[in-house]
Amino acid sequence: MELPCSFAPIIELPVMKKVKLFLKREDQLDAEITGNKFWKLFYPIKTVLDREGPKPLFYTFGGAYSNHVAAFSALGKRYGFSTHGIIRGEELAQSWHQNPTLRLAAENGMEFSFVSREVYREKAQIERLVKAFASSAVLIPEGGTSPLAVQGLQHMLSPDTQIFDYLCAPVGTGGTLAGLSKYAGPKQRVLGFKVVRDASLEKKIELLSGRSNFDLIEASEGGYGKMAPELIEFINRFSKQYSVPLDPIYTGKLMRKLFELIELDYFPEGSRILVIHTGGLQGIQGANDWLESKARPLIDLLPRAQILE
Ligand SMILES: *Cc1c(COP(=O)(O)O)cnc(C)c1O
């Protein structure tokens, strides 16, 4: 397993304010394995693949629309290891063909076990069972946040990210932000936009990064996975104006909150702000299926050429 030969591109977004805003397109790192999930999975998977002997079976956990499951299955296909997803929701055993994330994962060769929400909550028990039946199996937790996972984030930062005053990223389990905090330059401030309500995140990130150069900003808009009509409008306006797609779970919420903060003069004049586009675009189709079922306006899809340009 090797590092990509180039860094994700950085583009400027003309905001016509007293600050300069830039976007690092980690969503364009690769056609299939995008954003922060690639970096978080890099060392946990590489460490196993670098061992001698036959490749083990890799297990992971995830929800029905999980970016982690999508990236994990793509890595399995790319690097030739078998993947098995333990997926939340037993009803999906019948209907998973209608779920765009799971269809993609299956095309990448992933096999599934669907479990009820109650069983899913007992992940530690499932892990014990898997280990009992297949002792060589490798289990990668959902979210995949661990010290080894955090190490991969050093490769998201490059010589050309050093000039920015602020580094911004969405926060789910906190691994990505911990990595940015750990590897940021001495004068850089790291801002995490929380899309979940979780009071333990601050401590967890500090423990993983060993630094306190970050601030966490509430951006969950009512909770993880909640998609207000105003958010969908914002995402559509943004993609029209900048030709950059945003996902409704992470990057859309970050950007909406960031624009609010810029408006409120949160940032000193002349600040150079770098937002990490952490990807998640595979989730738009699933979000649109749900919006359509509620007869709500959909997220506009950009032409594919523009997404992968
Ligand atoms: C998973 C994910 C995140 C959150 O990363 P954490 O390391 O769990 O905080 C952010 N953005 C996108 C697009 C993601 O898929």
Side-chain angles (χ1 to χ4, degrees), residues 36-37 40 67 143 145 170-177 247 250-251 278-280:
N36 62 339
K37 296 300 183 284
K40 287 178 69 175
N67 295 329
T145 286
V171 177
T173 62
T176 302
L177 206 84
D247 84 292
Y250 295 98
T251 55
T278 45

Side-chain angles (χ1 to χ4, degrees), residues 174-231:
T176 302
L177 206 84
L180 291 178
S181 159
K182 184 170 171 136
Y183 299 108
K187 291 200 180 125
Q188 292 182 313
R189 194 79 198 156
V190 178
L191 301 185
F193 291 72
K194 288 202 300 179
V195 303
V196 291
R197 289 193 176 143
D198 178 352
S200 69
L201 275 169
E202 178 127 19
K203 274 268 164 305
K204 185 174 163 192
I205 294 170
E206 205 171 309
L207 215 61
L208 281 164
S209 91
R211 300 175 81 184
S212 51
N213 55 352
F214 66 91
D215 300 299
L216 295 184
I217 292 161
E218 160 66 35
S220 74
E221 302 196 12
Y224 182 79
K226 290 260 164 28
M227 295 183 276
E230 298 78 20
L231 174 69

Side-chain angles (χ1 to χ4, degrees), residues 15-301:
V15 285
M16 299 198 271
K17 298 276 177 214
K18 296 174 233 157
V19 297
K20 280 186 162 289
L21 184 59
F22 298 82
L23 191 59
K24 188 160 172 39
R25 300 289 307 267
E26 292 295 330
D27 59 311
Q28 293 184 326
L29 185 64
D30 183 282
E32 291 168 298
I33 313 158
T34 68
N36 62 339
K37 296 300 183 284
F38 178 76
W39 296 121
K40 287 178 69 175
L41 289 166
F42 187 78
Y43 286 112
I45 292 176
K46 180 175 166 53
T47 311
V48 177
L49 294 183
D50 284 351
R51 287 182 204 146
E52 299 278 315
K55 286 179 188 165
L57 180 55
F58 283 75
Y59 283 81
T60 200
F61 298 88
Y65 298 100
S66 163
N67 295 329
H68 167 74
V69 165
F72 193 80
S73 68
L75 281 165
K77 185 175 95 178
R78 175 82 50 91
Y79 295 103
F81 59 86
S82 304
T83 55
H84 193 107
I86 296 163
I87 310 294
R88 183 176 53 225
E90 52 196 342
E91 72 284 357
L92 290 161
Q94 270 76 50
S95 61
W96 70 265
H97 295 93
Q98 282 141 41
N99 175 300
T101 303
L102 297 178
R103 238 180 7 241
L104 174 87
E107 276 163 27
N108 287 336
M110 183 179 263
E111 290 188 12
F112 305 122
S113 299
F114 298 101
V115 301
S116 68
R117 284 158 183 78
E118 294 75 50
V119 171
Y120 190 84
R121 252 179 255 130
E122 307 296 327
K123 283 202 217 57
Q125 300 275 23
I126 302 178
E127 289 187 13
R128 263 200 292 280
L129 275 174
V130 170
K131 279 287 185 197
F133 284 105
S135 55
S136 67
V138 174
L139 288 133
I140 307 276
E142 185 188 20
T145 286
S146 64
L148 200 56
V150 166
Q151 275 182 41
L153 271 300
Q154 67 186 285
H155 305 296
M156 197 190 254
L157 299 175
S158 48
D160 56 354
T161 62
Q162 293 295 325
I163 61 158
F164 297 99
D165 305 304
Y166 294 90
L167 304 175
C168 305
V171 177
T173 62
T176 302
L177 206 84
L180 291 178
S181 159
K182 184 170 171 136
Y183 299 108
K187 291 200 180 125
Q188 292 182 313
R189 194 79 198 156
V190 178
L191 301 185
F193 291 72
K194 288 202 300 179
V195 303
V196 291
R197 289 193 176 143
D198 178 352
S200 69
L201 275 169
E202 178 127 19
K203 274 268 164 305
K204 185 174 163 192
I205 294 170
E206 205 171 309
L207 215 61
L208 281 164
S209 91
R211 300 175 81 184
S212 51
N213 55 352
F214 66 91
D215 300 299
L216 295 184
I217 292 161
E218 160 66 35
S220 74
E221 302 196 12
Y224 182 79
K226 290 260 164 28
M227 295 183 276
E230 298 78 20
L231 174 69
I232 306 301
E233 270 169 42
F234 174 85
I235 288 172
N236 286 340
R237 263 203 318 277
F238 186 91
S239 75
K240 205 175 268 158
Q241 186 166 1
Y242 299 110
S243 296
V244 174
L246 299 174
D247 84 292
I249 310 296
Y250 295 98
T251 55
K253 287 183 177 177
L254 176 158
M255 199 61 83
R256 185 156 176 245
K257 186 74 193 178
L258 180 72
F259 273 44
E260 241 178 77
L261 294 179
I262 292 174
E263 215 50 63
L264 292 169
D265 288 332
Y266 176 94
F267 300 98
E269 192 166 344
S271 295
R272 284 161 303 178
I273 305 164
L274 181 66
V275 174
I276 310 289
H277 193 316
T278 45
L281 301 178
Q282 69 82 28
I284 292 178
Q285 190 58 56
N288 273 347
D289 291 348
W290 183 84
L291 289 165
E292 194 171 16
S293 77
K294 304 283 172 203
R296 296 218 346 231
L298 306 187
I299 299 169
D300 297 334
L301 297 175

